[in-house]
Amino acid sequence: MVLVTTRFLKVAEHVGTMKHSVLEGLPEGSLWRLFKMHAFGSDNSDINPVLASIGRSIVSRLNGSRLGAQILGRLLSLKLDPIYWRNILESELWEVQVPHQENEGEDKSSICSALKLSYQYLPFHLKRCFSFCSMYPRNYEFDAGTLVDCWVAVGLVLPCGSMLALDVGHLYFQQLVNRSLFQKAPTSSGYVMHDLVYDMAQHTSRNECFVIKDRCDLSRIPPNVRHLSVLGNSGLESSDLESLHTYKTLRSIICSSIDSDILTTSVVETWFSDLVNIRMLRFISCQLKELPENVGNLVHLRYLDISACEFDKFPDSFWRLYNLEILDARNCKIQHVPKDIVKLVNLQRVKLKDDLIRHHGCVPRVGNLVFLQEMPYYAVGDEPGRTIHELKNMNHLRGILEISGLCGVTGMEQSTEAALHKKIYLDTLILSWHESIRPEKHNSSQEMEVLEGLRPSSNIKHLEVKFYMGAGFHPSWLHEDVLSSLASLSISSCPHISTLFGQPSRTDGSSSNSTGSFSGFRSLTKLCIAWCKKLKGLDNFLHPEHLPAIKVIRLSNCEDLVALPTKSLGEFVHLEDLEVSHCWSLNWEQGLTLSPLLKVLKLEACGEFSDLRLSCLRGLVALTNLDLQFCPSIESICTQIWSSLVSLENLKIVCCQGLNSIGGSESIARIGNMDIRHCPKSSNMCGLMSQ
């Protein structure tokens, strides 16, 4: 049996094989509860009685329309003011008569009145963005990011103060979502418009936006159309497409799934000759054979999507598109990032095939692209146009930035030129000096100076430092007053660091002052330290008062690390994941405790971790993963420990040479996944229990 729903009686009569059922609107009581939830939120027990009275009157006019209740509820939630609510209740738009099909399930007049009210009360900037969406076909699934890019390209969204136009656009989109003009797609991360909402968008933009679905639509194109979509399988010929060059007012064209035998180079060349005011041009699933040379005529072009095209070069005139902001060429078969790309001085984002993403930061003079927002990798070089100075004015970069080759920077004066503290839109910064842990040459004091000059923005959430050869790791900016948003810190392959944050360590790994002057990071949730072979101790840093929010601690391959603040580990009340591996010199003190919230514990080749320290496992009721490897001093694990690990799902015990007992096979029988091997004194158990 196939169930079909439709708003139109004729459709039901045409496809139905049995008597159709007409779905009535919601009962007024149910509709009022739905309206209340959208207008007042889920906790609506204490409602202003005046607003409640007006709200009930509004609900009574919706004739059971769920969509109307949802949209008007969201609209009214923006201003809980009786005058505002009464203006909507008494609006003349309720009296507008809308023609509708006989026996439609919901009263279309009521729904359209609600939609018109919602549109009427939209701010002007949201009205324009909403209406623009009708240039896409009905039931189109919108990607929020792509739609915002389109709004920005055609000038519907502008920067506001320190907010970039992109961020303003996302704010606008969320405001439309909050008004229920967009809804989440049921099976993806995209968004869709309800049919009636789309009808409203079409109505409000009927003179500016148009979708060509078949040849008949060619005669219906508004004479002053600004935004036009052409769909594949529409029966159009090349001559039909070419005729669109007469619409000089066009600002946007979207071509979807049009065969290259129809959307020919000749057609595109004609467009590029006459439609010189185009600001957005998208060829979605259209495989153009080439870009014609006269593409340079499109001097106003902001957004070009040639993501499905596979040509391997751009014409010389392409680099005259000085206003281009977004270039999507992810499937183009270019073998390298063209050096002329730096001529596109307004470029904000460029999407190339995956293996070229990191090459963008290797183009000489990339610093000319001061508005560029995405450049995940920059390689400092010796040749002109490749110095760290190129980063100075690239303050629109966002997301992640890795800077490699910092060994070529000679001091703090040079590293300061990167002006990283001005890159407020970055959230992840990776600083890399050398290509290996054993470079041919290095200057420790020089690298410490360079690190000092690389002060990040206070908005950085994730910081990673690797292949740094300085002996100290204590830049003045590495504290909470500067990095107030820091959530994760990774220090790896820094073989000469003996102390962190300037606290001198004794030979036994303890510091002269257990807390020192280091104030910690209250927002830090993840700490990873690896391949820092001269690091001796962390007790000046690894304290709950310094890291109150820490959830993940991973320490590995720190050969000289001799001590951890074992008595403090149990005080990290949020700690969920602890790994200590290949820290051969560790001396575990008595009194080791662990957080009862710990879920994952890995101990591998970490010094003299013996049976006496296993008592720390008792009470770990949340532990799901236990991994013990190369712990030769562990001889037995008693039944009492297993009985307290009530949540344990995964157990791994490998190369524990001294292990001869695990308290009997029944002790671990309930654990779902086990891997016990290379424990010679318990070879019988290994044979029975490895899974």
Side-chain angles (χ1 to χ4, degrees), residues 23-282:
L23 299 178
E24 303 296 337
L26 289 176
E28 191 163 317
S30 300
L31 198 66
W32 167 241
R33 288 191 293 274
L34 178 64
F35 175 88
K36 277 199 304 179
M37 184 182 71
H38 289 289
F40 301 105
S42 54
D43 183 16
N44 51 43
S45 55
D46 186 20
I47 299 176
N48 183 320
V50 177
L51 293 180
S53 176
I54 300 172
R56 285 188 178 276
S57 298
I58 291 173
V59 167
S60 68
R61 306 190 71 165
L62 292 175
N63 294 320
S65 168
R66 178 197 60 80
L67 179 63
Q70 184 176 344
I71 288 176
L72 281 186
R74 292 289 184 92
L75 170 65
L76 292 166
S77 71
L78 302 174
K79 192 173 182 179
L80 300 179
D81 177 70
I83 296 176
Y84 177 72
W85 281 42
R86 194 169 293 283
N87 285 340
I88 289 177
L89 173 64
E90 297 173 355
S91 170
E92 62 185 18
L93 291 176
W94 289 104
E95 309 305 325
V96 174
Q97 296 298 311
V98 180
H100 60 280
Q101 301 291 326
E102 183 182 359
N103 289 336
E104 283 190 87
E106 294 180 298
D107 189 303
K108 189 174 180 181
S109 294
S110 300
I111 301 173
C112 287
S113 295
L115 286 170
K116 286 192 174 187
L117 281 165
S118 181
Y119 179 79
Q120 179 75 21
Y121 280 85
L122 280 177
F124 176 69
H125 58 273
L126 292 186
K127 285 181 178 177
R128 296 204 303 165
C129 292
F130 170 72
S131 298
F132 173 87
C133 298
S134 69
M135 80 168 296
Y136 290 87
R138 187 182 299 275
N139 300 320
Y140 184 82
E141 190 170 304
F142 292 90
D143 172 74
T146 303
L147 180 59
V148 168
D149 288 340
C150 295
W151 288 344
V152 174
V154 299
L156 300 181
V157 179
L158 299 173
C160 181
S162 63
M163 286 186 71
L164 301 180
L166 178 70
D167 297 321
V168 175
H170 279 284
L171 180 63
Y172 289 178
F173 182 81
Q174 191 56 50
Q175 289 173 350
L176 292 175
V177 171
N178 292 343
R179 287 168 165 83
S180 294
L181 298 177
F182 284 106
Q183 299 174 341
K184 285 288 293 181
T187 58
S188 72
S189 59
Y191 292 82
V192 294
M193 276 185 168
H194 188 283
D195 268 0
L196 293 176
V197 175
Y198 181 80
D199 288 343
M200 176 61 66
Q202 274 193 320
H203 176 74
T204 58
S205 64
R206 57 190 178 277
N207 295 321
E208 292 194 349
C209 300
F210 195 76
V211 179
I212 298 177
K213 300 181 289 296
D214 53 50
R215 295 195 72 183
C216 296
D217 288 329
L218 291 170
S219 61
R220 304 189 186 108
I221 300 175
N224 295 317
V225 64
R226 295 174 67 85
H227 310 295
L228 182 69
S229 287
V230 186
L231 305 185
N233 301 318
S234 54
L236 298 182
E237 299 177 358
S238 292
S239 58
D240 298 323
L241 292 180
E242 197 162 335
S243 69
L244 298 178
H245 77 96
T246 60
Y247 294 93
K248 310 291 187 183
T249 56
L250 275 172
R251 297 295 183 269
S252 311
I253 298 179
I254 298 177
C255 297
S256 298
S257 304
I258 302 176
D259 192 88
S260 58
D261 293 335
I262 298 173
L263 186 62
T264 63
T265 301
S266 175
V267 169
V268 177
E269 192 170 20
T270 301
W271 288 358
F272 290 176
S273 293
D274 295 336
L275 302 178
V276 295
N277 292 315
I278 289 290
R279 296 173 66 109
M280 182 187 77
L281 188 56
R282 299 190 64 200

Side-chain angles (χ1 to χ4, degrees), residues 538-540 542-543 563-570 572 589 592:
L538 289 168
D539 58 338
N540 62 301
L542 211 54
H543 275 272
L564 291 175
T566 53
K567 295 181 181 179
S568 300
L569 290 177
F572 289 105
E589 299 176 0
L592 173 63

